Amino acid sequence: MAFACDGHIGWAWHETAGVADNAGMRGKHVLLGVTGGIAAYKSAELVRRLVERGAEVQVVMTAAAREFIGATTFQALSGRPVRDSLWDANAEAAMGHIELARWAELVLVAPASADFLARLVHGRADDLLATLCLATTAPIVVAPAMNQQMWANAATQANMSTLRQRAVQVLGPASGEQACGEVGPGRMLEPTEIADLVEPLLIGPGPFSGKRVLITAGPTRECLDPVRFVSNRSSGKMGYAVAQAFRAAGAEVVLVSGPVALAAPAGVRCVWVESAAQMYAAVQQELPATQLLVATAAVADYRPVEVAERKIKKKAETLSLELTRTTDILASVAALAQRPYIVGFAAETDAVEQHAREKLLRKNLDMICANEVGAAKAFDCEDNALLVLWRGGGRAELARAPKRELATALVALIATQYQARARSEPQPERRQDLG
Ligand code: CTP
């Protein structure tokens, strides 16, 4: 099976032998420049992250980078001999440096050292990587990595502002503990974060460019006393993957997340909550100017009527808890006169399609994605399968796949339905900004 969203060729989703695969960067040419810094060891993983998303990666190292990491590692991971010299007659005969500059659809320099950034500012052509940056018409993206004082130095900051003015994209740096023992801004972003951020740059604006998507994810916790709570097995992985996929599809993403053990997806604004009531309040607060709400969260349906101020002591043989309903966040948004396009999730242990269809109608949703949950299924595991139903009788089955791939396929499907709905609506305001 394959489908593509109207007018967005980059958003095709392929399925081969039942395996959905993220076609995001398929066949895209990434020239990865590695310069001299301790973060160069992370560039090896970055090659893997880019290759696994389908990119063809040509690594170009500076002389200083070779002091930190061997070319063989990059050659093995990228499947291409590393280039590091303007004067390598054999490599130039295979593909001259001007040809290489034209081959690149994106030049990514990670790590970008203070020295390399300064050379970039001055338009130097004193090694292969700097020459390629001068000769290419492809977008240039840099992920700086250096000692925090070097980053803070006025010279580096002036260089960064010049590069930004020239439309060089700057990713990071992150703040934290550095290899030199100091703490502050200057750490290279993590490889997955870099890959997430360059993906939309490579594949164009994406079907959700200019749209704001609000996503709920993870479980909620409903307190019993200061040390105990009622919760569920949701890991948040599906919701986080959906957030990442919407970001890669160009959306501005706000993720309202219950407590999970996951890192915030790159480029996504996270709002952390604990209880169903907090999640409800956060969704209400973030709703203005939102075009899509995707509710993946496993929100507690009930919370304790009373929360003990002190730890409940073990006295009687049995203990009964009185629980009361929480507000249904999804249904409350769906009941609004001016509402976003709404995608709900349904966690079911039985009669999946029947229950999901009933929820689609009862909660007045535009689309529902049903999971079969239960022993080692959907909750707290790495892969999942979805049955997707939408208004008007539409139905699609997304085959079992890792959650990240499934999320990409789901976002492509939502895009087709969202666009179809927008085309069929005489009143464009209905799903316009709510704020
Ligand atoms: N949901 C919500 N607020 C709640 C409960 C659920 O927003 N208080 C949302 C979930 O995020 C999901 C959808 O409603 O998108 C369906 O959740 P699910 O737990 O499958 O269904 P329930 O409505 O809770 O019904 P039931 O537990 O009886 O199946």
Side-chain angles (χ1 to χ4, degrees):
M1 182 174 101
F3 63 79
C5 303
D6 300 356
H8 294 284
I9 307 151
W11 285 91
W13 177 62
H14 303 277
E15 191 183 344
T16 314
V19 180
D21 114 60
N22 177 1
M25 293 193 197
R26 182 158 304 281
K28 296 286 179 186
H29 297 173
V30 178
L31 196 148
L32 176 62
V34 183
T35 74
I38 184 62
Y41 79 92
K42 291 191 194 172
S43 308
E45 196 194 330
L46 177 56
V47 175
R48 276 192 66 83
R49 299 286 85 87
L50 296 170
V51 168
E52 78 189 5
R53 292 169 196 219
E56 289 182 34
V57 181
Q58 172 64 59
V59 176
V60 176
M61 299 174 78
T62 62
R66 298 196 69 148
E67 300 293 326
F68 289 90
I69 186 164
T72 317
T73 305
F74 289 121
Q75 176 165 338
L77 293 171
S78 67
R80 288 168 172 265
V82 167
R83 298 285 300 262
D84 60 2
S85 166
L86 268 171
W87 314 113
D88 181 335
N90 290 336
E92 282 288 312
M95 195 195 284
H97 61 274
I98 297 298
E99 226 180 312
L100 186 53
R102 289 192 196 122
W103 173 89
E105 291 172 83
L106 183 98
V107 175
L108 169 62
V109 185
S113 65
D115 174 67
F116 183 78
L117 293 166
R119 289 198 285 130
L120 198 55
V121 166
H122 287 279
R124 300 292 298 262
D126 47 1
D127 69 4
L128 177 62
L129 183 58
T131 306
L132 291 168
C133 288
L134 266 190
T136 192
T137 53
I140 299 178
V141 180
V142 295
M146 65 196 75
N147 162 273
Q148 54 90 24
Q149 201 52 56
M150 290 168 76
W151 174 252
N153 190 289
T156 304
Q157 288 307 309
N159 287 340
M160 297 319 297
S161 107
T162 304
L163 292 175
R164 285 193 184 97
Q165 276 166 26
R166 290 183 196 155
V168 171
Q169 294 255 6
V170 182
L171 308 182
S175 213
E177 201 171 311
Q178 302 201 297
C180 55
E182 294 180 17
V183 177
R187 284 166 59 98
M188 188 171 93
L189 294 187
E190 293 307 315
T192 305
E193 285 180 274
I194 296 176
D196 285 342
L197 292 169
V198 298
E199 190 165 317
L201 300 176
L202 257 177
I203 60 182
F208 287 106
S209 284
K211 306 284 181 219
R212 187 175 135 108
V213 181
L214 182 57
I215 298 172
T216 65
T220 62
R221 287 179 181 173
E222 310 304 324
C223 286
L224 289 171
D225 70 13
V227 295
R228 301 184 181 95
F229 53 79
V230 179
S231 190
N232 59 63
R233 289 184 188 279
S234 167
S235 65
K237 284 178 190 156
M238 192 66 219
Y240 276 56
V242 169
Q244 231 157 34
F246 268 109
R247 181 73 198 105
E252 176 197 342
V253 181
V254 180
L255 179 62
V256 177
S257 174
V260 294
L262 299 171
V268 166
R269 187 158 69 78
C270 289
V271 179
W272 308 106
V273 297
E274 200 164 290
S275 65
Q278 288 169 355
M279 188 171 275
Y280 172 80
V283 166
Q284 294 300 324
Q285 169 129 12
E286 296 294 338
L287 204 54
T290 291
Q291 281 87 31
L292 281 99
L293 170 68
V294 183
T296 73
V299 187
D301 291 329
Y302 293 91
R303 63 174 168 78
V305 171
E306 277 179 30
V307 182
E309 267 179 39
R310 295 186 187 166
K311 188 180 164 201
I312 300 169
K313 298 303 277 180
K314 181 174 54 187
K315 287 181 190 144
E317 270 313 303
T318 59
L319 175 70
S320 300
L321 294 173
E322 195 185 349
L323 303 174
T324 181
R325 285 273 283 269
T326 58
T327 306
D328 192 309
I329 302 168
L330 198 52
S332 72
V333 176
L336 297 172
Q338 293 270 296
R339 41 162 272 191
Y341 186 91
I342 301 179
V343 181
F345 271 63
E348 309 293 348
T349 52
D350 58 284
V352 176
E353 183 155 0
Q354 186 191 331
H355 283 139
R357 198 171 295 285
E358 183 268 320
K359 261 178 213 173
L360 175 73
L361 300 175
R362 176 169 48 87
K363 296 202 184 191
N364 191 26
L365 310 178
D366 294 296
M367 184 182 268
I368 194 153
C369 312
N371 293 282
E372 192 177 346
V373 292
K377 275 189 184 154
F379 271 21
D380 203 10
C381 62
E382 297 306 321
D383 57 7
N384 197 6
L386 290 175
L387 168 68
V388 186
L389 307 173
W390 57 92
R391 292 218 157 233
R395 181 186 193 282
E397 284 180 35
L398 302 184
R400 182 160 292 278
K403 285 179 176 173
R404 190 187 164 91
E405 290 172 13
L406 194 64
T408 303
L410 176 62
V411 168
L413 178 57
I414 295 173
T416 55
Q417 293 312 312
Y418 178 71
Q419 287 164 356
R421 174 64 69 90
R423 276 197 301 274
S424 71
E425 271 181 355
Q427 301 293 324
E429 312 78 60
R430 180 172 174 249
R431 296 181 198 284
Q432 289 295 304
D433 293 358
L434 301 175

